Amino acid sequence: MSQTQADALVFFGATGDLAYKKIFPALQALAKRGALNVPVVGVAKSGWGLDQLKARARDSVEKHGGLDADAFGRLSNLLRYVDGDYGDLAAFEQLRKELDGAKHPVHYLAIPPSVFELVFDQLQKSGCAEGARVVVEKPLGHDLASAQELNRTLHSIFKEEDIFRIDHYLGKNTVQNLLFFRFSNSFVEPIWKRQYVQSVQITMSENFGVQGRGSFYDHTGAIRDVVQNHLLQVLTNIAMEPPPGSETEILRDVRVMVLHGIRSLRPEDVVRGQFRGYRQEPGVSPDSTVETFVALRLFINSWRWRGVPFYIRAGKCLPNTVTEVLVKLYQPPAIFCDVAPPANYYRFRVTPDLQIAVGAYVKLPGADDQGEMQELLINHPEDPNEMGAYEELLGDALKGSNAHFARQDYVEESWRVVDSVLDNATPVHEYEPGSWGPAEADAIGPPGGWYNPK
Ligand code: BG6
């Protein structure tokens, strides 16, 4: 049914955290653009009624982005609610009634993966899966084996083209722009290779902790939470071969080829950290060894990239909240003085706003042999009127456009890369909140040290 406009949107987990923080604001934004005209059915087990769901939706948009009375009114008129246990078929029969003959509903599972299978099963038994597509949220598995199992379950009911796996980084304009910028400017591609690029660093720094998500996070950790998905997506956009066209499956093919070239991570290439105080967070085990920080290095075994180290660092309670990529070129030779100028670089900021900078060496006035590093900068500040990642992805799911969703083989390959270093494969080192992680990370970092985004 891919590319068919959906005629209903069902979201499981309607009273949960994700719905509150992301889904209602995205739905209001879609309603504002006139892109939401189908019944929106929330499903949860909370003993609520429709009025309570509407009150929750209003509260959600007030707290996250602001209420737009007109758009919210439209959303509110579309809202329906089914209260019931996912184990109880009666709830799904009720859902079918609420769907009111919809032929192509989208089922969005904003619920823990432990109940995915149960919900799929009930959708099928109740006839709600017929003609439907499904949207699933990360975590898409817990490791390679469980990701494969999840895919088997999904495929037992839905066709791959009707499965939409959300990685909200793919909905970010800044992430899409990595690709767009690379392949829309003829000055990038000729140097985007091992002969010119010394190293690539991807840093995701967050200056907050687990924000009340302790029990989720303590079963997840930084590698599963952001590396296997968001940061490998950033990496594949930076490293992929030029796609022979912009069709979705072609882009997905070239992305997954990058992952095929990455050897499974070895423990010696990974340093894990945990911020001091993490074990006292609600929901976290007092002797937890889960990482809130990870630094790693990897290589892509391809003609283009062989020998170029790619470094990834991600952590909670670091000095600031920013995600950046630094592509460092080789130093130019010394011509104007005895010492070679510093290495040029490309810097891409992915959050919180879009920046693309080229670090270039420029002559200082009055001195024939001295220069300084400056940046040629493209800067696009955050704009509250721009489409957010969830708005874009939900709109796409309704339209049936899966360009910004992950394909099965990609998800499995990304798990394959990290599978060998999950859990306690490496020790965890404590670090001070507000620092750049444990000093042990320096040992596997780039020559000259890690680049810390400002
Ligand atoms: C989520 C992670 O997927 O991404 C969070 O679970 C993380 O831990 C978040 O904070 C970061 O997303 P963004 O869009 O704020 O960069």
Side-chain angles (χ1 to χ4, degrees):
M1 91 174 247
S2 195
Q3 296 291 332
T4 312
Q5 179 68 40
D7 49 8
L9 172 65
V10 180
F11 65 113
F12 292 86
T15 58
D17 205 44
L18 186 71
Y20 186 69
K21 288 190 182 142
K22 304 279 190 192
I23 301 177
F24 289 122
L27 291 174
Q28 179 185 262
L30 284 169
K32 188 171 174 185
R33 270 197 298 122
L36 188 70
N37 306 301
V38 296
V40 178
V41 190
V43 186
K45 180 184 187 283
S46 59
W48 288 11
L50 180 58
D51 288 342
Q52 274 157 302
L53 187 75
K54 287 185 178 178
R56 170 89 165 167
R58 174 182 282 272
D59 193 45
S60 147
V61 297
E62 280 170 352
K63 300 258 163 39
H64 298 98
L67 177 81
D68 179 311
D70 197 40
F72 184 78
R74 260 175 281 151
L75 167 61
S76 187
N77 286 336
L78 295 169
L79 272 182
R80 316 269 184 276
Y81 182 62
V82 173
D83 192 78
D85 197 304
Y86 299 142
D88 181 5
L89 192 59
F92 288 79
E93 276 155 5
Q94 178 62 26
L95 170 62
R96 208 160 53 128
K97 282 196 199 121
E98 293 291 346
L99 285 175
D100 197 20
K103 301 235 164 353
H104 300 301
V106 168
H107 297 294
Y108 179 4
L109 274 61
I111 48 176
S114 51
V115 283
F116 278 5
E117 201 166 339
L118 175 63
V119 170
F120 295 147
D121 200 39
Q122 302 282 47
L123 284 173
Q124 197 174 33
K125 280 191 190 137
S126 61
C128 294
E130 227 166 276
R133 67 177 75 104
V134 67
V135 179
V136 281
E137 265 288 340
K138 78 180 248 288
L140 299 170
H142 199 64
D143 53 17
L144 176 58
S146 55
Q148 288 167 330
E149 182 56 37
L150 172 63
N151 280 327
R152 269 194 292 275
T153 308
L154 278 163
H155 286 150
S156 67
I157 301 177
F158 299 98
K159 294 201 286 286
E160 177 63 25
E161 66 189 38
D162 293 328
I163 302 169
F164 286 55
R165 299 177 186 82
I166 287 200
D167 178 328
H168 80 279
Y169 258 51
L170 291 178
K172 283 184 190 281
N173 177 48
T174 52
V175 174
Q176 294 165 10
N177 199 44
L178 295 172
L179 206 65
F180 191 92
F181 178 83
R182 274 190 63 197
F183 299 121
S184 307
N185 293 295
S186 46
F187 54 82
V188 186
E189 199 47 24
I191 58 164
W192 220 245
K193 53 174 79 147
R194 65 189 152 80
Q195 289 87 345
Y196 293 90
V197 175
Q198 194 184 131
S199 67
V200 178
Q201 287 189 53
I202 302 172
T203 309
M204 178 178 189
S205 160
E206 294 183 309
N207 67 1
F208 48 84
V210 290
Q211 297 186 307
R213 298 158 76 218
S215 56
F216 157 77
Y217 201 87
D218 213 35
H219 290 98
T220 307
I223 300 176
R224 290 187 173 97
D225 189 37
V226 297
V227 174
Q228 175 268 333
N229 36 67
H230 307 332
L231 299 184
L232 285 182
Q233 287 285 2
V234 169
L235 182 140
T236 53
N237 278 6
I238 287 288
M240 68 157 72
E241 292 301 316
S246 62
E247 282 159 39
T248 299
E249 297 310 323
I250 290 180
L251 287 169
R252 289 170 152 195
D253 287 345
V254 283
R255 268 200 194 98
V256 85
M257 284 303 285
V258 177
L259 297 181
H260 285 315
I262 304 176
R263 184 173 56 184
S264 301
L265 288 168
R266 299 170 312 174
E268 56 268 39
D269 290 327
V270 176
V271 171
R272 297 186 312 128
Q274 187 186 78
F275 67 80
R276 191 190 300 279
Y278 171 72
R279 293 177 185 181
Q280 283 79 55
E281 293 276 344
V284 170
S285 157
D287 54 2
S288 170
T289 54
V290 165
E291 78 282 355
T292 60
F293 169 97
V294 65
L296 60 88
R297 80 180 153 210
L298 57 84
F299 292 89
I300 301 169
N301 191 14
S302 68
W303 183 261
R304 179 186 290 266
W305 292 119
R306 185 152 184 146
V308 179
F310 283 71
Y311 301 92
I312 295 181
R313 233 177 3 155
K316 302 279 186 198
C317 283
L318 299 190
N320 49 20
T321 300
V322 54
T323 301
E324 280 196 1
V325 182
L326 190 84
V327 178
K328 197 168 174 188
L329 307 182
Y330 283 110
Q331 272 181 282
I335 299 285
F336 297 107
C337 54
D338 295 342
V339 185
N344 299 108
Y345 61 84
Y346 277 79
R347 181 174 66 80
F348 299 90
R349 176 172 284 198
V350 169
T351 61
D353 53 354
L354 184 147
Q355 286 187 7
I356 300 175
V358 178
Y361 205 56
V362 184
K363 181 180 170 299
L364 282 174
D368 283 344
D369 58 354
Q370 281 178 39
E372 65 177 352
M373 212 53 185
Q374 293 202 2
E375 285 195 341
L376 309 168
L377 178 68
I378 299 163
N379 190 4
H380 183 70
E382 259 184 308
D383 176 354
N385 295 317
E386 253 169 36
M387 255 202 260
Y390 272 88
E391 180 189 350
E392 172 154 356
L393 294 176
L394 278 181
D396 283 354
L398 287 170
K399 279 188 290 192
S401 158
N402 55 5
H404 302 308
F405 294 82
R407 199 170 62 187
Q408 170 199 4
D409 51 347
Y410 181 93
V411 172
E412 292 183 10
E413 266 305 283
S414 57
W415 278 115
R416 197 265 308 150
V417 171
V418 300
D419 208 50
S420 43
V421 294
L422 292 172
D423 302 321
N424 289 319
T426 58
V428 69
H429 306 279
E430 195 174 60
Y431 63 95
E432 281 304 319
S435 73
W436 280 100
E440 284 79 358
D442 293 347
I444 60 155
W450 292 95
Y451 159 73
N452 297 329
K454 312 210 170 35

